[in-house]
Structures are given as C-alpha cells and as structure tokens.
Amino acid sequence: MNKVDLSLLKEYMNRKGLTQTDVAQRLGVTKQYINSLLSGMRPFGKKQAKLWEDNFGISCSWLLTGEGDMLKSNQSHTSTDANEIAILKEKIRALESILSEKERTIQILLKSREL
C-alpha cells in the first residue's frame, strides 16, 4: 500500500481556497481531526475518504491507497464545482448585505452633518 502524498492534498486545498476549518465544517468533524489527517498522524478511513470524494472530488481510492489519480473524473467535479459556486454565491450575498448596511450608515451620517 502506497502512502498518500499529503503535500498534493494540501496544495489542492490551497488552490481551492479551503482552510482546515472550512473542510472540517463541511465534513462535520473538528479542525483537529482534519489536521491529524493532513499531518499524517491519522490515516484516512473508508468513510472519511468517501466524504472527501463526495465533497471535494478527491478520489476515495487515492486517499486510501495513494495510487491512481488524486482527482476524480470531470463528471464528479461538476457537483463539487456546483457546491463551491453555491457557497461563493452565499458569501457574495452576505457581503452585499454588509455593503448595503454600510452605505445606509454613510447616508445617515452625511445627512446628520447637513443638519
């Protein structure tokens, strides 16, 4: 059994802008658990590998054996990309809301200066 090259996994996470906290929240585990996987202190089990595959498009087989391609075929990336797009859209909506509130505050402050 080949060891998984965790540096590839970390690099992939960095490219996708995923922190250990993001991954932990998405998978319903603790950041410490993710850290133990990424540091090699704990091996990936079948259940955890499947969650990574479903959520991030990382091959379950690659996580368990270190063999084959790290990423699943393009077909599985479509659902991962759709999930990432949905998350980004939600973040944009939240930022737009914050910006709108700040603009209202500025308008109130400007009006109060006129008085």
Side-chain angles (χ1 to χ4, degrees):
M1 181 157 126
N2 292 338
K3 185 156 176 72
V4 173
D5 186 349
L6 295 172
S7 66
L8 291 175
L9 187 55
K10 291 175 191 175
E11 181 183 324
Y12 176 80
M13 288 174 54
N14 284 335
R15 280 193 321 239
K16 292 290 187 176
L18 294 168
T19 65
Q20 289 185 16
T21 301
D22 296 332
V23 172
Q25 288 175 344
R26 209 147 142 196
L27 300 181
V29 297
T30 65
K31 180 183 172 195
Q32 292 78 12
Y33 180 75
I34 297 302
N35 185 45
S36 69
L37 289 172
L38 295 176
S39 67
M41 293 172 46
R42 170 176 272 171
F44 280 87
K46 289 179 184 177
K47 182 179 175 185
Q48 194 57 226
K50 181 66 175 143
L51 286 172
W52 281 72
E53 183 176 271
D54 293 344
N55 282 277
F56 306 111
I58 307 293
S59 166
C60 184
S61 175
W62 182 82
L63 287 168
L64 294 172
T65 67
E67 297 176 3
D69 293 331
M70 181 178 88
L71 300 177
K72 285 196 58 167
S73 68
N74 285 341
Q75 184 177 15
S76 66
H77 288 299
T78 303
S79 64
T80 300
D81 291 343
N83 289 340
E84 290 175 7
I85 289 169
I87 290 167
L88 289 172
K89 284 182 178 180
E90 184 58 37
K91 288 180 179 181
I92 289 169
R93 280 192 288 276
L95 289 171
E96 286 173 338
S97 175
I98 291 168
L99 180 59
S100 178
E101 183 61 35
K102 299 248 185 236
E103 287 174 349
R104 281 192 292 273
T105 302
I106 289 169
Q107 291 303 316
I108 291 169
L109 290 171
L110 288 173
K111 285 181 183 180
S112 69
R113 283 183 84 191
E114 293 172 1
L115 298 177

